[in-house]
Amino acid sequence: MSTYKSRKDVPEHEKWDLTDLYADEQAWQADVDECYQLADTLSQFDGAIQDAKSLLDFLETQEKLSFTLRKVFAYTMFLSDIDTRDAHAQKLSAKATQLSVKVSESTSFFMPFLLSLSEETLRAYISAEKKLAYFEDELWKSFRFKKHVLTKEKEELLSQLGATFQAPGDTYNMLNNADIQFGVVTDDNGQQVQLTRGMYSKLIEDEDRNKRKEAYKAYYKPYVELNNTIATTLSAEIKTNVTLAKVRQYESALHKALFADNIEQSVYDQLIDAAKANIEPLHEYARLRKQKLGLDELRQYDLNAPIVPGVKAEISYEEAYETMLKALKPLGDDYIAKLKEFKEKRYIDVRETPGKRSGAYNMGVYGVHPFVLLNHHDDLNSLFTLVHEMGHAMHSYYSSKYQPQITANYRIFVAEVASTVNEVLLINYLLKETSDKRMRAYLLNHFIEQFRGTFFTQVMFADFEKQTHERAEAGEPLNAESLNELYEQLFRTYNGPDIVFDDEVKYGWSRIPHFYRAFYVYQYATGFASAIKIATAILDGEEGALDAYMTFLQSGSSDEPLELLKKAGVDLTTPEPVQAAMARFSALVEELKQL
């Protein structure tokens, strides 16, 4: 059984054990009180850090607060996500948010203070106090930003304008989540009902083409109607990014976005170039899709329709977990033993219940363990989601086990590597185990679709972001017409000449919330390509590949992301990893064609 009418009906061993965080609410409240006391202590350091000892005292207190605050926040988040309708959980969540505002205020002075120091003074502090060695790397990482920090007065002014800078993104989010009204579609009873996002994701994969088309038109309706408004919000967001980059003396908005992770721009450019140079297999896949669906014209609403229909495997949660353990065997005994433990010790909240947050995630809580939220249905997609999230969870587990608190959290740039390595190992295992031709075709198609969504589509988005920001930097207008034209041109380049364009295609950019977090999406593609290379090396039994990967999982953020990946055998400063992933994609398309 995969859906329950009440959380009470779910077996205990398929629910989180939140007593691992707090025995009861009283214990949680005690930590909240302690956080307030620590925040008050931290605010007293403002203007009082005069030497190595006071710098150390501040940093140690801040780390202690950070440790407790994460637990406090995690507890309320998990309670809310179990049932988003729970008023008491919402109340605790509001308390945690209030606390985090207080903490943020109490430490806001520190970064301007640190960056006001001379390099000589910071070195003198570090050599005067042995215990500062623990914080040294993080201090120098922060210190890299010194040349991009303005005078105290200007920084205060920018700080006061923070809400203004966030306005385009806030406006878009409100518009996209609260105000947008999709068109109507016909339900199974022949009634006209308003489309929802949840309905759309199902209908766009329906085998009935008329249903797909109706859902597609209804989904894009508000984006077409609000085209000028959304163009104004995105244009404002891009101009804000460009202006702040200029004010802070970065070479460009892209340079500013890559600076924090120490990523060279060549990595971003090479990704786009390599994808475009190897785009033909994606076009070939579009032709295959058109042929398999028996269409005279392939349109955007045909891109998610199943081309291997009718393959519906029922896989219970128990069976899914066992399959995962077998598929991930190449990662070694310790990895498998820990995965078994995660299930036994109730680190996973498995079932969909009324009010539960949709989707799936992993959250590692340092000093406790990872917590994984699922909405498991007994099907193949849920098996892939399980394997994906457990990749994140094991990355969190190993990083927390082998790293001190300061470097235990891995960066976004490498976050999708462990989850995708697991998915590649699962696909490989399932393909090896199946003798059914239709199931094999279904699995190949599933993997190809992952490539299309996680790699090619994200690269297309990254290309769009780069070109829109460059236009703004050159003083060219960004309006509905220019954004539509650019997106349509990129969609054609990436998806190929076999797609007949409906008018809606060019509005695709206006439904992407990630564009309000500039230059973020390219990391999905680099992470995916890195994972393909790592998983292939492990499966091919390359000497040292598994040890290098396990070291990567244990490394947290102890080095820069590009360096961590190099140690795992992936050098993203060269086009080779992306080209290798492209070769794998080409082989998948070729095999699916043969089948």
Side-chain angles (χ1 to χ4, degrees):
M1 184 175 180
S2 59
T3 307
Y4 290 79
K5 287 181 180 169
S6 163
R7 188 167 175 83
K8 289 185 187 122
D9 302 334
V10 179
E12 209 58 18
H13 67 273
E14 291 187 352
K15 292 191 280 197
W16 273 331
D17 181 4
L18 295 185
T19 59
D20 289 355
L21 274 169
Y22 292 105
D24 51 33
E25 198 179 305
Q26 213 176 339
W28 175 82
Q29 185 61 51
D31 266 3
V32 170
D33 296 341
E34 189 191 356
C35 285
Y36 272 108
Q37 286 166 7
L38 289 169
D40 287 337
T41 305
L42 285 174
S43 58
Q44 288 161 27
F45 282 91
D46 189 0
I49 302 177
Q50 309 288 354
D51 54 18
K53 177 73 173 71
S54 49
L55 175 60
L56 176 66
D57 288 346
F58 171 83
L59 292 170
E60 286 184 335
T61 308
Q62 186 186 39
E63 185 172 69
K64 187 180 178 189
L65 172 56
S66 158
F67 174 81
T68 310
L69 183 66
R70 190 167 177 86
K71 282 177 63 184
V72 162
F73 224 93
Y75 186 69
T76 61
M77 176 176 146
F78 299 153
L79 279 179
S80 296
D81 290 351
I82 285 165
D83 188 351
T84 55
R85 307 162 306 176
D86 183 342
H88 185 64
Q90 285 170 17
K91 192 176 159 190
L92 296 187
S93 202
K95 270 190 178 182
T97 304
Q98 213 175 347
L99 170 61
S100 71
V101 170
K102 165 77 174 169
V103 169
S104 183
E105 285 170 358
S106 71
T107 56
S108 62
F109 75 90
F110 181 71
M111 199 51 72
F113 157 76
L114 179 67
L115 299 178
S116 72
L117 299 176
S118 68
E119 195 173 319
E120 294 72 30
T121 304
L122 184 56
R123 282 193 195 285
Y125 283 173
I126 291 167
S127 55
E129 175 54 75
K130 266 197 302 196
K131 286 183 181 173
L132 278 173
Y134 173 79
F135 298 100
E136 184 174 1
D137 280 352
E138 289 303 307
L139 288 169
W140 288 119
K141 274 178 196 168
S142 301
F143 210 72
R144 282 180 64 235
F145 288 85
K146 188 173 172 69
K147 61 184 174 186
H148 301 295
V149 171
L150 311 174
T151 61
K152 190 168 187 283
E153 292 75 17
K154 285 179 180 172
E155 284 295 342
E156 280 171 2
L157 180 61
L158 284 182
S159 175
Q160 286 164 17
L161 289 169
T164 310
F165 298 144
Q166 285 172 17
D170 290 345
T171 305
Y172 176 79
N173 284 334
M174 194 55 74
L175 197 67
N176 199 37
N177 294 316
D179 296 341
I180 268 193
Q181 299 285 310
F182 297 110
V184 295
V185 292
T186 313
D187 69 11
D188 292 338
N189 302 318
Q191 301 294 312
Q192 295 279 287
V193 293
Q194 190 171 29
L195 183 74
T196 64
R197 286 185 203 279
M199 286 164 66
Y200 178 71
S201 62
K202 287 186 174 67
L203 287 170
I204 202 64
E205 294 178 358
D206 202 288
E207 290 180 25
D208 182 338
R209 194 178 194 220
N210 290 326
K211 280 190 175 179
R212 296 200 301 269
K213 181 179 178 180
E214 187 183 45
Y216 176 77
K217 297 285 181 187
Y219 179 72
Y220 273 90
K221 183 175 179 280
Y223 295 110
V224 175
E225 290 168 351
L226 295 166
N227 190 220
N228 290 309
T229 304
I230 298 176
T232 305
T233 63
L234 185 59
S235 173
E237 174 74 13
I238 290 166
K239 285 171 186 169
T240 300
N241 297 338
V242 167
T243 302
L244 285 173
K246 201 178 288 181
V247 165
R248 292 200 176 280
Q249 299 179 325
Y250 288 95
E251 291 162 32
S252 64
L254 177 55
H255 177 231
K256 179 177 180 290
L258 300 178
F259 185 80
D261 282 333
N262 224 350
I263 308 290
E264 300 155 33
Q265 189 174 324
S266 60
V267 171
Y268 196 98
D269 295 339
Q270 273 174 186
L271 173 70
I272 293 171
D273 293 344
K276 281 179 169 168
N278 293 278
I279 205 75
E280 183 49 39
L282 186 63
H283 297 175
E284 184 63 32
Y285 175 57
R287 286 191 283 275
L288 176 65
R289 175 169 273 284
K290 178 181 172 182
Q291 178 197 328
K292 288 301 295 175
L293 291 172
L295 299 172
D296 295 330
E297 294 178 341
L298 184 72
R299 294 180 179 265
Q300 191 180 4
Y301 51 78
D302 300 317
L303 297 181
N304 297 89
I307 61 170
V308 189
V311 178
K312 289 233 165 72
E314 177 144 338
I315 307 165
S316 71
Y317 177 63
E318 298 297 326
E319 192 188 336
Y321 218 92
E322 283 307 311
T323 303
M324 173 175 71
L325 295 176
K326 289 173 192 164
L328 302 184
K329 216 168 174 209
L331 297 180
D333 294 342
D334 185 66
Y335 195 99
I336 298 302
K338 284 290 163 284
L339 275 183
K340 287 178 181 171
E341 205 176 286
F342 280 20
K343 182 166 176 272
E344 289 154 12
K345 292 190 173 177
R346 296 172 53 197
Y347 295 0
I348 311 163
D349 204 82
V350 180
R351 298 298 175 182
E352 182 176 20
T353 48
K356 187 174 174 182
R357 174 181 163 155
S358 62
Y361 66 71
N362 157 71
M363 184 177 174
V365 182
Y366 190 79
V368 188
H369 58 72
F371 289 81
V372 175
L373 177 132
L374 302 172
N375 279 279
H376 193 89
H377 294 272
D378 295 339
D379 58 21
L380 200 60
N381 279 342
S382 286
L383 168 60
F384 275 97
T385 302
L386 170 69
V387 167
H388 181 99
E389 294 305 332
M390 298 316 283
H392 286 309
M394 290 300 289
H395 195 177
S396 295
Y397 165 77
Y398 279 123
S399 286
S400 289
K401 183 180 177 183
Y402 288 93
Q403 293 298 318
Q405 186 184 338
I406 198 165
T407 52
N409 285 337
Y410 46 83
R411 308 257 194 100
I412 294 290
F413 189 85
V414 298
E416 291 304 319
V417 174
S419 53
T420 310
V421 163
N422 278 13
E423 288 201 59
V424 177
L425 294 177
L426 175 64
I427 276 277
N428 183 75
Y429 172 79
L430 294 173
L431 285 171
K432 212 166 62 181
E433 289 295 307
T434 186
S435 52
D436 183 279
K437 209 171 160 185
R438 282 170 65 74
M439 178 53 91
R440 186 172 185 84
Y442 179 89
L443 290 166
L444 287 168
N445 191 52
H446 179 94
F447 200 16
I448 287 168
E449 283 298 328
Q450 260 196 307
F451 251 106
R452 187 162 70 91
T454 313
F455 184 83
F456 288 109
T457 300
Q458 305 308 323
V459 176
M460 180 180 77
F461 290 164
D463 202 346
F464 179 81
E465 286 188 288
K466 184 170 186 275
Q467 292 196 46
T468 50
H469 281 79
E470 284 173 350
R471 287 181 183 190
E473 282 157 353
E476 294 173 27
L478 286 178
N479 51 37
E481 189 182 352
S482 65
L483 292 169
N484 291 350
E485 187 188 319
L486 173 61
Y487 190 83
E488 186 169 19
Q489 173 200 325
L490 285 171
F491 196 94
R492 198 174 289 282
T493 300
Y494 282 85
N495 290 282
D498 282 81
I499 299 172
V500 176
F501 277 31
D502 288 89
D503 194 47
E504 284 84 357
V505 170
K506 64 174 179 256
Y507 301 98
W509 61 269
S510 61
R511 61 186 181 83
I512 310 299
H514 286 88
F515 289 154
Y516 296 84
R517 189 176 175 181
F519 305 109
Y520 174 85
V521 294
Y522 85 100
Q523 298 170 111
Y524 288 118
T526 51
F528 192 81
S530 302
I532 298 283
K533 181 146 174 60
I534 290 167
T536 304
I538 291 168
L539 287 167
D540 289 350
E542 275 183 31
E543 195 181 340
L546 179 58
D547 287 344
Y549 178 57
M550 294 312 290
T551 302
F552 165 81
L553 292 182
Q554 295 162 7
S555 297
S557 58
S558 58
D559 206 340
E560 299 294 356
L562 286 178
E563 294 308 309
L564 289 176
L565 285 169
K566 278 181 190 172
K567 290 172 192 170
V570 181
D571 187 356
L572 285 170
T573 62
T574 73
E576 191 273 329
V578 177
Q579 285 168 350
M582 296 297 88
R584 181 76 196 271
F585 180 73
S586 181
L588 290 168
V589 173
E590 195 50 45
E591 187 182 348
L592 187 62
K593 267 173 69 183
Q594 299 309 321
L595 276 173

